[in-house]
Amino acid sequence: MVVAISAVSSQTGTTTGPVALSGRDPQVDAGRLVAEMVPPPRFDAVRFGTYLPDPAQPSQAAAVRGLEGFAATITGPSAGRRRSWFRREAEPARRPDGVYLDGGYGVGKTHLLASLWHATPAPREQKAFGTFVELTNLVGALGFQRAVEALRGHHLVCIDEFELDDPGDTVLVSTLLGKLADAGVRLAATSNTLPGKLGEGRFAATDFMREIQSLSARFLCLRVDGEDYRHRGLPEAPAPYTDEQVTAVAHRTPGAALDDFPALAAHIATVHPSRYGALCDGVEAVFLRGVHPVTDQAAALRLVVLADRLYDREIPVMASGAPFDRLFTEEMLTGGYRKKYFRAVSRLTALARDAKRLSA
């Protein structure tokens, strides 16, 4: 259960103004983690039919067809071919236990993964969707064996942003997926590669499969090429506002959270990234004063996770200070985690565009 935290008047019980994310310390009941593993609000309504393949990128339409075919074969972990005692039946072609989407940021992999979740003919409680971080948190909260038991009755488990940059967590989750596949659970994943170490493009898929050695032959790899859809034909990110503008708009916006960027960056270091979603509960818009470039890599990676949770929940962000394309240093944008940082800049820029309506 999430502990609700807001700024309220002790006399009237009404909200007195913007809350501060830096003043929140959400707690999440581990028992609800599995039930809450569903696509985030941004992807509630997505379907294969709402994905618009780029005609210049044939792999996108091919990925949709591949996933539609995969969804049609999902019949549940206990389903199997009935054995005939009277005649020999031909062995059917082996179906893939899992599908892996390989591609850059902003090409719609999460849209496709959520569409697969929605298209799978199973009750909500028998299919799971979560990020790699959320899955590792589930294992940490329940313990490995309990996590296996909690998921082994599912028809489908989707893992978004499978990370290759933490060998320990990668092996842990890979082992978990192996146990689930052995139980008949179908799997789907997208990756968040460490290109400085693993290389670009199809090499990411190869290394992902190497990390889950026992599963590699079971996975169908679908390449999704393309440019970041969030910037196709859209205007440049809006210029930052002044501190005064951010403060004024925050105070007239229902459900606003207002923070000084340095305070928020320091606070999230004390909150486990798995709770960043709960940190945003009840928040309709985020306002940040004094955004500045981050030079510490650990702090930068925490901001990447926070940006993901804000984007999932479609929470607009209005900020003063440095523009979001200067949030990370040049060294970070050319280093091993560059795909993470480019994704965060892309998503924050989209949320900054969404915030323009708040100042109207």
Side-chain angles (χ1 to χ4, degrees):
M1 178 179 295
V2 176
V3 177
I5 307 171
S6 61
V8 295
S9 166
S10 59
Q11 294 181 338
T12 66
T14 59
T15 302
T16 61
V19 300
L21 296 181
S22 56
R24 291 181 157 194
D25 182 25
Q27 303 298 318
V28 180
D29 182 356
R32 296 184 57 183
L33 291 177
V34 175
E36 293 175 352
M37 291 186 71
V38 296
R42 177 175 286 272
F43 299 100
D44 275 346
V46 302
R47 300 293 187 272
F48 289 129
T50 64
Y51 182 80
L52 302 177
D54 184 347
Q57 304 290 346
S59 64
Q60 294 185 7
V64 172
R65 292 192 298 271
L67 289 171
E68 287 177 328
F70 182 77
T73 68
I74 299 175
T75 55
S78 61
R81 183 172 56 87
R82 180 173 296 178
R83 182 177 177 181
S84 172
W85 295 100
F86 303 102
R87 54 184 166 80
R88 187 184 185 91
E89 295 181 359
E91 283 295 323
R94 180 177 178 83
R95 68 180 190 180
D97 293 313
V99 63
Y100 165 66
L101 298 179
D102 172 39
Y105 63 92
V107 297
K109 297 191 305 297
T110 302
H111 182 137
L112 291 172
L113 191 67
S115 297
L116 173 63
W117 187 92
H118 287 297
T120 296
R124 291 173 63 90
E125 64 272 14
Q126 292 181 355
K127 48 188 179 180
F129 184 106
T131 64
F132 182 90
V133 170
E134 289 170 326
L135 194 59
T136 57
N137 181 61
L138 176 70
V139 176
L142 301 181
F144 182 83
Q145 193 55 45
R146 285 184 62 200
V148 171
E149 292 302 320
L151 294 172
R152 69 183 307 155
H154 282 54
H155 290 224
L156 174 71
V157 172
C158 297
I159 308 98
D160 199 21
E161 300 163 15
F162 195 106
E163 299 183 359
L164 297 167
D165 46 32
D166 186 323
D169 282 347
T170 301
V171 171
L172 174 70
V173 175
S174 297
T175 305
L176 173 66
L177 297 186
K179 295 288 187 181
L180 296 179
D182 288 342
V185 180
R186 308 299 287 285
L187 309 170
T190 69
S191 80
N192 188 359
T193 65
L194 180 58
K197 177 180 179 183
L198 297 173
E200 300 281 357
R202 296 183 186 278
F203 293 105
T206 301
D207 286 309
F208 168 82
M209 291 179 180
R210 188 186 65 207
E211 293 294 339
I212 51 172
Q213 298 172 10
S214 63
L215 296 179
S216 60
R218 303 177 178 179
F219 270 76
L220 170 67
C221 180
L222 298 175
R223 175 70 181 169
V224 188
D225 298 297
E227 62 178 303
D228 186 346
Y229 79 90
R230 288 178 286 269
H231 300 296
R232 293 178 195 161
L234 294 175
E236 293 298 317
Y241 297 85
T242 66
D243 287 352
E244 292 75 19
Q245 287 174 314
V246 169
T247 302
V249 178
H251 278 275
R252 69 170 189 251
T253 301
L258 174 63
D259 288 88
D260 290 315
F261 180 76
L264 179 59
H267 177 64
I268 61 175
T270 68
V271 179
H272 192 278
S274 65
R275 293 187 280 144
Y276 287 4
L279 191 71
C280 304
D281 281 352
V283 173
E284 301 295 331
V286 166
F287 297 83
L288 300 175
R289 291 180 297 214
V291 172
H292 62 76
V294 178
T295 57
D296 177 72
Q297 186 130 262
L301 291 172
R302 288 191 290 268
L303 289 169
V304 168
V305 178
L306 180 61
D308 286 341
R309 300 292 81 79
L310 293 173
Y311 183 78
D312 287 345
R313 288 159 176 75
E314 300 182 293
I315 299 176
V317 179
M318 177 178 286
S320 65
F324 286 128
D325 59 5
R326 288 170 46 196
L327 182 60
F328 306 112
T329 67
E330 187 64 27
E331 181 181 5
M332 292 176 181
L333 294 177
T334 57
Y337 296 101
R338 63 183 180 272
K339 281 194 174 182
K340 286 177 178 286
Y341 298 134
F342 276 116
R343 187 184 77 239
V345 169
S346 173
R347 290 183 166 186
L348 288 171
T349 296
L351 296 178
R353 291 196 189 104
D354 292 343
K356 290 183 69 175
R357 60 178 171 78
L358 301 176
S359 62

